[in-house]
Amino acid sequence: MNKITTRQIFKNACELVVSSGKYVKSAHIASTKPSSDNKESFADLVTEYDRGTEKLLIGQLSRCYPAHKFIAEEMVADGGECNLTNEPTWIIDPIDGTTNFVHGFPAYCISVGLFVEKDPVLGIVYDIPNDKIYSAIKGEGAFCNGRVIKCSSTTDLNSSLIAAGFGPQRKTDFLRFKMGIMNTLVEKCHGIRCIGSAALDICHVAAGYIDANVQFGPHIWDYAAAHLIALEAGAVCSAPNGQPMNLLSRKLLVCSTDELKDQIVPLLGDFPLPHD
């Protein structure tokens, strides 16, 4: 895929994501909360807007690029395959931060990434309530609303602000593991932030608002697009144990610098999770 083709695909995808964002915004025109159903747990929510946004995105992208494949959250939840091959593949989270969306908490987004030969070539994360579009094309830098963004230069854990999250899983041992990580980190950093969207957490590292993000349990659609944006902003992305990141492993560490990563890795430990 050449740069001219990639840029045109990126332009088309951005326009589609913004258009889909208008549909998501319409949910809060009414005074009542969007209704939701449960998936894997009572805290794992899905709404008609998740399903509707995904349908809009896949429908239009399929018409434009009929040979392309898709991995999308609600598609997989309904029994579809999560199979990343060498074929051009769109990885979509129609609303990352659905619980925030349901409650009207202003931290949720649309996340769309395109992979070719299992490698990210473009990523778009639309922070809908704040009307910010984080984006990247591989090799061309990272942007927010068209302006270049860079991650921070923080190298000292004691001077860092870190993002983490609980996710929708409510198994006691998993929650205790995550609480243990947060307890260890908060003793050594300026603070921990939990906003409930992995995609936005990673984009906030890319923009320099946050110095590191630790994730155990999200799925590939939660971070596929943001991962490229962070890399293009100069971030260091790895598995929590410091090894190269496996996008299907559901574990990641995103840091502003190698020095910060080297201080965080020994504090994290590990938890067994099924791959996507």
Side-chain angles (χ1 to χ4, degrees):
M1 187 175 292
N2 62 49
K3 286 191 173 182
I4 295 175
T5 302
T6 302
R7 286 174 184 158
Q8 185 57 54
I9 293 173
F10 173 79
K11 180 176 181 293
N12 294 343
C14 276
E15 291 172 354
L16 178 56
V17 167
V18 171
S19 175
S20 299
K22 293 177 182 178
Y23 167 68
V24 176
K25 286 179 181 179
S26 72
H28 291 292
I29 293 175
S31 59
T32 56
K33 291 181 180 179
S35 60
S36 61
D37 298 318
N38 299 338
K39 294 194 287 187
E40 293 184 3
S41 77
F42 70 90
D44 190 5
L45 306 182
V46 61
T47 71
E48 64 180 287
Y49 292 92
D50 294 84
R51 297 186 177 105
T53 302
E54 185 169 298
K55 184 177 180 180
L56 284 170
L57 291 166
I58 293 177
Q60 186 60 41
L61 289 169
S62 294
R63 283 189 286 273
C64 292
Y65 313 108
H68 289 193
K69 308 297 183 184
F70 294 88
I71 295 172
E73 179 174 11
E74 308 314 329
M75 174 189 290
V76 173
D78 291 338
E81 289 188 349
C82 182
N83 186 21
L84 183 59
T85 68
N86 288 330
E87 298 298 316
T89 302
W90 294 92
I91 303 181
I92 296 171
D93 191 340
I95 302 179
D96 185 44
T98 298
T99 300
N100 291 343
F101 170 67
V102 168
H103 287 272
F105 184 80
Y108 51 89
C109 61
I110 297 173
S111 175
V112 175
L114 176 62
F115 282 62
V116 178
E117 296 182 352
K118 301 182 181 180
D119 196 35
V121 296
L122 67 83
I124 303 163
V125 174
Y126 182 22
D127 177 349
I128 298 168
N130 297 297
D131 203 28
K132 290 183 175 181
I133 302 173
Y134 297 94
S135 65
I137 295 173
K138 185 177 181 181
E140 298 189 14
F143 299 84
C144 179
N145 289 350
R147 298 182 65 178
V148 174
I149 55 174
K150 290 286 186 183
C151 58
S152 78
S153 57
T154 301
T155 59
D156 185 357
L157 179 57
N158 293 151
S159 300
S160 68
L161 187 62
I162 298 176
F166 290 102
Q169 300 91 346
R170 290 297 178 264
K171 293 183 178 179
T172 302
D173 57 344
F174 195 27
L175 291 175
R176 285 177 177 165
F177 170 74
K178 290 190 173 187
M179 287 295 294
I181 287 175
M182 292 186 194
N183 183 66
T184 299
L185 289 173
V186 79
E187 291 177 348
K188 300 178 183 297
C189 70
H190 279 172
I192 304 286
R193 299 293 178 263
C194 304
I195 67 165
S197 165
L200 288 179
D201 280 342
I202 297 168
C203 286
H204 291 167
V205 176
Y209 307 145
I210 296 288
D211 301 302
N213 178 223
V214 181
Q215 297 283 352
F216 284 87
H219 294 275
I220 188 170
W221 47 81
D222 295 309
Y223 50 79
H227 160 254
L228 175 63
I229 295 167
L231 287 173
E232 289 293 320
V236 181
C237 299
S238 72
N241 64 6
Q243 296 300 307
M245 181 179 169
N246 177 349
L247 281 167
L248 295 170
S249 72
R250 302 176 59 208
K251 305 173 186 180
L252 68 155
L253 173 62
V254 181
C255 295
S256 57
T257 61
D258 278 306
E259 293 89 343
L260 186 57
K261 170 194 160 187
D262 289 344
Q263 294 167 67
I264 292 175
V265 166
L267 305 176
L268 297 182
D270 195 17
F271 192 92
L273 291 169
H275 285 203
D276 279 329

